[in-house]
Amino acid sequence: MKIQVLGPLSAEVNGGSIVPTAGKPRQILALLALYPGRVVPVPTLMEELWRTELPQSALTTLQTYILQLRRRLGTAMGPGAPAGAKDVIATRHGGYLLQIAPEAVDVHTYESLVRAGQQAFDAGDDGGAAARLREALALWQGPALVDVHVGPVLGIEVLRLEESRLVTLERRIDVDLRLGRHAQLIVELTGLIARHPQHEGLHSQAMVALYRSGRQATALDVYRRLRTRLVEELGVEPSPQLQRLHQAMLTVDPALDVIAGPRRSSTFDLFAA
Protein backbone atom coordinates (compact mmCIF):
# COMPACT_ATOMS: atom_id res chain seq x y z
CA MET A 1 0.00 0.00 0.00
CA LYS A 2 1.13 3.52 -0.81
CA ILE A 3 -0.63 6.51 0.75
CA GLN A 4 -0.21 10.23 0.11
CA VAL A 5 -1.65 12.93 2.37
CA LEU A 6 0.63 15.83 1.37
CA GLY A 7 -1.83 17.07 -1.21
CA PRO A 8 -4.94 15.25 -2.43
CA LEU A 9 -5.59 12.01 -0.54
CA SER A 10 -4.27 9.04 -2.46
CA ALA A 11 -4.15 5.39 -1.40
CA GLU A 12 -3.15 2.68 -3.85
CA VAL A 13 -2.90 -1.08 -3.60
CA ASN A 14 -1.52 -3.00 -6.59
CA GLY A 15 -1.89 0.15 -8.66
CA GLY A 16 -5.58 0.59 -7.87
CA SER A 17 -7.07 3.37 -5.76
CA ILE A 18 -8.93 2.43 -2.59
CA VAL A 19 -9.95 6.00 -1.72
CA PRO A 20 -13.75 6.11 -1.27
CA THR A 21 -15.81 8.84 -2.86
CA ALA A 22 -18.01 9.40 0.21
CA GLY A 23 -16.77 12.11 2.56
CA LYS A 24 -16.78 10.42 5.97
CA PRO A 25 -15.02 7.20 4.91
CA ARG A 26 -12.35 9.44 3.34
CA GLN A 27 -11.91 11.14 6.70
CA ILE A 28 -11.47 7.79 8.43
CA LEU A 29 -8.91 6.59 5.90
CA ALA A 30 -6.97 9.85 6.19
CA LEU A 31 -6.93 9.72 9.98
CA LEU A 32 -5.82 6.08 10.09
CA ALA A 33 -3.11 6.85 7.51
CA LEU A 34 -1.64 9.59 9.67
CA TYR A 35 -1.08 7.06 12.47
CA PRO A 36 0.11 3.86 10.75
CA GLY A 37 0.54 1.01 13.20
CA ARG A 38 -1.15 2.94 16.00
CA VAL A 39 -4.65 2.47 17.36
CA VAL A 40 -6.98 5.37 16.68
CA PRO A 41 -9.63 5.28 19.44
CA VAL A 42 -13.30 5.09 18.50
CA PRO A 43 -14.08 8.35 20.37
CA THR A 44 -11.42 10.13 18.29
CA LEU A 45 -12.93 8.83 15.06
CA MET A 46 -16.39 9.87 16.18
CA GLU A 47 -15.19 13.35 17.11
CA GLU A 48 -13.65 13.72 13.69
CA LEU A 49 -16.82 12.62 11.90
CA TRP A 50 -19.52 14.29 14.00
CA ARG A 51 -17.78 16.66 16.43
CA THR A 52 -19.99 16.72 19.55
CA GLU A 53 -23.26 16.03 17.74
CA LEU A 54 -23.20 12.24 17.67
CA PRO A 55 -26.14 10.49 16.03
CA GLN A 56 -27.78 7.69 18.00
CA SER A 57 -26.40 5.19 15.51
CA ALA A 58 -22.86 6.60 15.59
CA LEU A 59 -21.09 3.37 16.50
CA THR A 60 -23.03 1.30 13.97
CA THR A 61 -22.44 3.89 11.27
CA LEU A 62 -18.73 3.99 12.04
CA GLN A 63 -18.55 0.20 11.76
CA THR A 64 -20.31 0.43 8.40
CA TYR A 65 -17.73 2.91 7.14
CA ILE A 66 -14.91 0.61 8.28
CA LEU A 67 -16.60 -2.27 6.46
CA GLN A 68 -16.80 -0.19 3.28
CA LEU A 69 -13.09 0.59 3.48
CA ARG A 70 -12.25 -3.06 4.01
CA ARG A 71 -14.31 -4.07 1.00
CA ARG A 72 -12.47 -1.61 -1.25
CA LEU A 73 -9.16 -2.76 0.17
CA GLY A 74 -10.04 -6.44 -0.20
CA THR A 75 -11.01 -5.97 -3.84
CA ALA A 76 -7.71 -4.24 -4.59
CA MET A 77 -5.68 -6.83 -2.70
CA GLY A 78 -7.26 -9.74 -4.52
CA PRO A 79 -8.06 -13.22 -3.23
CA GLY A 80 -4.42 -14.34 -3.23
CA ALA A 81 -3.19 -11.72 -0.79
CA PRO A 82 -1.42 -13.26 2.24
CA ALA A 83 -3.20 -10.88 4.62
CA GLY A 84 -6.87 -10.05 4.41
CA ALA A 85 -8.40 -6.59 4.55
CA LYS A 86 -9.36 -7.17 8.21
CA ASP A 87 -5.69 -7.71 9.01
CA VAL A 88 -4.73 -4.41 7.38
CA ILE A 89 -7.57 -2.27 8.73
CA ALA A 90 -7.59 -4.08 12.03
CA THR A 91 -9.97 -3.90 14.98
CA ARG A 92 -8.38 -3.45 18.36
CA HIS A 93 -9.84 -2.95 21.81
CA GLY A 94 -11.26 0.56 21.76
CA GLY A 95 -10.37 1.46 18.19
CA TYR A 96 -8.92 0.66 14.79
CA LEU A 97 -5.47 0.75 13.25
CA LEU A 98 -3.95 0.63 9.80
CA GLN A 99 -1.32 -2.09 9.87
CA ILE A 100 1.16 -0.83 7.31
CA ALA A 101 4.78 0.29 7.53
CA PRO A 102 5.16 4.00 8.28
CA GLU A 103 7.29 4.28 5.12
CA ALA A 104 4.16 3.58 3.08
CA VAL A 105 2.81 7.05 3.94
CA ASP A 106 4.43 10.08 2.31
CA VAL A 107 4.35 12.16 5.49
CA HIS A 108 6.72 9.68 7.18
CA THR A 109 9.23 10.06 4.32
CA TYR A 110 8.82 13.82 4.46
CA GLU A 111 9.53 14.00 8.19
CA SER A 112 12.54 11.67 7.86
CA LEU A 113 14.02 13.91 5.15
CA VAL A 114 13.38 17.01 7.25
CA ARG A 115 15.24 15.44 10.17
CA ALA A 116 18.13 14.50 7.89
CA GLY A 117 18.21 18.04 6.52
CA GLN A 118 18.27 19.54 9.99
CA GLN A 119 21.09 17.21 11.05
CA ALA A 120 23.11 18.20 7.99
CA PHE A 121 22.45 21.88 8.73
CA ASP A 122 23.58 21.49 12.34
CA ALA A 123 26.72 19.69 11.16
CA GLY A 124 27.62 22.52 8.78
CA ASP A 125 26.82 20.55 5.62
CA ASP A 126 24.81 23.24 3.85
CA GLY A 127 24.81 21.45 0.50
CA GLY A 128 23.48 18.25 2.05
CA ALA A 129 20.90 20.18 4.05
CA ALA A 130 19.63 21.98 0.96
CA ALA A 131 19.33 18.72 -0.97
CA ARG A 132 17.45 16.88 1.78
CA LEU A 133 15.08 19.75 2.52
CA ARG A 134 14.36 20.30 -1.16
CA GLU A 135 13.64 16.58 -1.54
CA ALA A 136 11.26 16.74 1.44
CA LEU A 137 9.36 19.73 0.05
CA ALA A 138 9.08 18.07 -3.37
CA LEU A 139 6.80 15.43 -1.82
CA TRP A 140 4.06 18.04 -1.39
CA GLN A 141 1.48 18.00 -4.18
CA GLY A 142 -0.68 20.80 -2.75
CA PRO A 143 -2.18 21.67 0.66
CA ALA A 144 -2.38 18.65 2.96
CA LEU A 145 -5.56 16.59 2.45
CA VAL A 146 -6.87 19.29 0.15
CA ASP A 147 -9.73 17.13 -1.14
CA VAL A 148 -10.87 15.83 2.27
CA HIS A 149 -13.50 17.57 4.39
CA VAL A 150 -11.61 17.74 7.68
CA GLY A 151 -13.17 17.71 11.12
CA PRO A 152 -11.57 18.89 14.38
CA VAL A 153 -9.01 16.08 14.64
CA LEU A 154 -7.80 16.15 11.05
CA GLY A 155 -7.96 19.93 11.15
CA ILE A 156 -5.27 20.01 13.84
CA GLU A 157 -3.12 17.60 11.86
CA VAL A 158 -3.46 19.67 8.69
CA LEU A 159 -2.44 22.82 10.56
CA ARG A 160 0.56 21.00 12.02
CA LEU A 161 1.66 19.75 8.62
CA GLU A 162 1.22 23.11 6.91
CA GLU A 163 3.22 24.82 9.65
CA SER A 164 5.94 22.18 9.29
CA ARG A 165 5.99 22.81 5.54
CA LEU A 166 6.46 26.55 6.05
CA VAL A 167 9.22 26.06 8.65
CA THR A 168 10.99 23.59 6.35
CA LEU A 169 10.71 26.02 3.46
CA GLU A 170 12.22 28.79 5.59
CA ARG A 171 15.10 26.55 6.62
CA ARG A 172 15.76 25.53 3.01
CA ILE A 173 15.86 29.20 1.98
CA ASP A 174 18.22 29.91 4.90
CA VAL A 175 20.58 27.26 3.57
CA ASP A 176 20.34 28.54 0.00
CA LEU A 177 21.20 32.04 1.22
CA ARG A 178 24.23 30.64 3.05
CA LEU A 179 25.25 28.97 -0.23
CA GLY A 180 25.10 32.29 -2.08
CA ARG A 181 21.98 31.52 -4.09
CA HIS A 182 20.36 34.89 -3.28
CA ALA A 183 19.67 35.92 -6.89
CA GLN A 184 17.86 32.67 -7.64
CA LEU A 185 15.64 33.10 -4.58
CA ILE A 186 14.19 36.52 -5.37
CA VAL A 187 11.27 35.34 -7.52
CA GLU A 188 10.31 32.60 -5.03
CA LEU A 189 10.51 34.94 -2.06
CA THR A 190 8.49 37.64 -3.84
CA GLY A 191 5.64 35.15 -4.20
CA LEU A 192 6.00 33.92 -0.63
CA ILE A 193 5.80 37.35 1.01
CA ALA A 194 2.75 38.11 -1.14
CA ARG A 195 1.05 34.97 0.22
CA HIS A 196 2.27 35.58 3.79
CA PRO A 197 2.09 39.37 4.11
CA GLN A 198 2.80 39.48 7.86
CA HIS A 199 5.49 36.80 8.06
CA GLU A 200 8.64 38.51 9.33
CA GLY A 201 10.96 35.56 8.69
CA LEU A 202 10.16 35.39 4.97
CA HIS A 203 10.40 39.16 4.68
CA SER A 204 13.85 39.12 6.30
CA GLN A 205 14.95 36.50 3.78
CA ALA A 206 13.58 38.54 0.88
CA MET A 207 15.41 41.61 2.18
CA VAL A 208 18.72 39.77 2.43
CA ALA A 209 18.34 38.16 -1.01
CA LEU A 210 17.60 41.53 -2.60
CA TYR A 211 20.38 43.31 -0.72
CA ARG A 212 22.99 40.74 -1.70
CA SER A 213 21.80 41.00 -5.30
CA GLY A 214 22.60 44.72 -5.37
CA ARG A 215 19.00 45.86 -4.87
CA GLN A 216 19.31 47.74 -1.58
CA ALA A 217 16.46 50.17 -2.32
CA THR A 218 14.04 47.33 -3.07
CA ALA A 219 15.12 45.49 0.09
CA LEU A 220 14.40 48.61 2.15
CA ASP A 221 11.03 48.98 0.44
CA VAL A 222 10.11 45.44 1.51
CA TYR A 223 10.72 46.51 5.10
CA ARG A 224 8.76 49.73 4.67
CA ARG A 225 5.71 47.94 3.29
CA LEU A 226 5.80 45.28 6.01
CA ARG A 227 6.14 47.90 8.75
CA THR A 228 3.20 49.87 7.36
CA ARG A 229 1.09 46.71 7.27
CA LEU A 230 1.98 45.68 10.82
CA VAL A 231 1.32 49.14 12.25
CA GLU A 232 -1.96 49.66 10.39
CA GLU A 233 -3.39 46.17 10.81
CA LEU A 234 -1.99 45.05 14.17
CA GLY A 235 -0.78 48.21 15.82
CA VAL A 236 2.73 46.81 16.37
CA GLU A 237 6.21 47.63 15.14
CA PRO A 238 8.42 45.02 13.45
CA SER A 239 10.44 42.81 15.81
CA PRO A 240 13.82 44.00 17.14
CA GLN A 241 15.60 41.51 14.87
CA LEU A 242 13.97 42.94 11.77
CA GLN A 243 14.57 46.51 12.88
CA ARG A 244 18.26 45.75 13.36
CA LEU A 245 18.41 44.08 9.94
CA HIS A 246 16.85 47.20 8.44
CA GLN A 247 19.39 49.43 10.21
CA ALA A 248 22.24 47.20 9.04
CA MET A 249 21.14 47.72 5.45
CA LEU A 250 20.96 51.48 5.93
CA THR A 251 24.54 51.51 7.24
CA VAL A 252 25.81 48.90 4.74
CA ASP A 253 26.91 46.58 7.56
CA PRO A 254 29.63 44.17 6.30
CA ALA A 255 27.95 41.35 8.26
CA LEU A 256 25.23 41.29 5.61
CA ASP A 257 27.72 40.05 3.05
CA VAL A 258 28.61 36.95 5.09
CA ILE A 259 27.09 33.96 3.35
CA ALA A 260 28.16 31.13 5.65
CA GLY A 261 29.32 32.12 9.10
CA PRO A 262 29.95 29.87 12.10
CA ARG A 263 26.46 30.38 13.62
CA ARG A 264 23.87 27.77 12.72
CA SER A 265 20.93 30.14 12.84
CA SER A 266 18.17 31.50 10.62
CA THR A 267 18.31 34.60 8.46
CA PHE A 268 15.68 36.13 10.70
CA ASP A 269 18.09 35.82 13.64
CA LEU A 270 21.01 37.31 11.74
CA PHE A 271 20.83 40.36 14.01
CA ALA A 272 19.30 38.79 17.09
CA ALA A 273 20.41 40.33 20.36
Side-chain angles (χ1 to χ4, degrees):
M1 183 182 294
K2 181 179 180 181
I3 300 179
Q4 297 174 324
V5 299
L6 302 178
L9 177 62
S10 171
E12 294 186 352
V13 176
N14 297 327
S17 174
I18 65 166
V19 178
T21 56
K24 292 192 185 307
R26 291 170 75 92
Q27 288 174 263
I28 294 172
L29 179 59
L31 193 52
L32 293 175
L34 286 171
Y35 302 100
R38 293 168 54 186
V39 175
V40 180
V42 167
T44 300
L45 290 164
M46 288 184 174
E47 180 186 0
E48 168 62 25
L49 297 178
W50 296 291
R51 299 180 183 270
T52 58
E53 301 175 358
L54 299 182
Q56 289 186 344
S57 59
L59 181 57
T60 301
T61 303
L62 174 61
Q63 292 170 341
T64 300
Y65 292 150
I66 293 291
L67 179 61
Q68 292 172 1
L69 288 173
R70 284 172 173 164
R71 284 174 176 168
R72 295 184 67 90
L73 176 60
T75 299
M77 292 173 65
K86 291 183 68 174
D87 296 321
V88 178
I89 302 178
T91 302
R92 290 292 184 267
H93 179 71
Y96 299 92
L97 80 156
L98 189 62
Q99 293 207 104
I100 59 174
E103 294 80 8
V105 186
D106 62 349
V107 70
H108 176 88
T109 304
Y110 161 77
E111 291 174 341
S112 294
L113 287 167
V114 169
R115 286 192 297 270
Q118 182 63 51
Q119 290 168 359
F121 182 84
D122 293 338
D125 179 9
D126 291 329
R132 297 291 81 73
L133 296 175
R134 189 169 283 107
E135 189 178 353
L137 291 165
L139 293 173
W140 286 77
Q141 304 298 314
L145 297 174
V146 64
D147 58 346
V148 176
H149 175 74
V150 300
V153 182
L154 280 177
I156 293 172
E157 290 296 327
V158 167
L159 285 175
R160 179 185 67 81
L161 289 171
E162 291 294 342
E163 182 63 23
S164 171
R165 182 187 191 183
L166 187 57
V167 170
T168 301
L169 180 59
E170 285 185 82
R171 178 48 50 87
R172 196 224 81 215
I173 293 172
D174 278 333
V175 176
D176 281 338
L177 284 171
R178 294 173 63 82
L179 291 167
R181 297 168 179 168
H182 37 269
Q184 300 97 306
L185 290 170
I186 291 175
V187 172
E188 180 183 13
L189 282 165
T190 298
L192 286 170
I193 62 175
R195 290 197 297 274
H196 303 277
Q198 297 178 352
H199 196 294
E200 291 194 353
L202 292 173
H203 280 75
S204 72
Q205 292 176 324
M207 290 168 64
V208 170
L210 288 162
Y211 181 91
R212 289 179 179 169
S213 300
R215 298 171 62 180
Q216 180 187 24
T218 307
L220 294 172
D221 189 55
V222 169
Y223 176 86
R224 180 190 61 79
R225 287 185 280 112
L226 173 62
R227 180 182 181 275
T228 299
R229 187 175 298 112
L230 292 176
V231 170
E232 291 181 351
E233 296 178 6
L234 301 178
V236 299
E237 290 284 344
S239 66
Q241 292 102 311
L242 204 59
Q243 292 184 45
R244 284 191 286 268
L245 176 61
H246 175 250
Q247 186 62 32
M249 290 183 175
L250 290 173
T251 59
V252 194
D253 191 325
L256 286 169
D257 297 324
V258 176
I259 294 173
R263 293 175 60 191
R264 319 307 304 169
S265 60
S266 69
T267 303
F268 182 60
D269 291 330
L270 191 62
F271 287 91

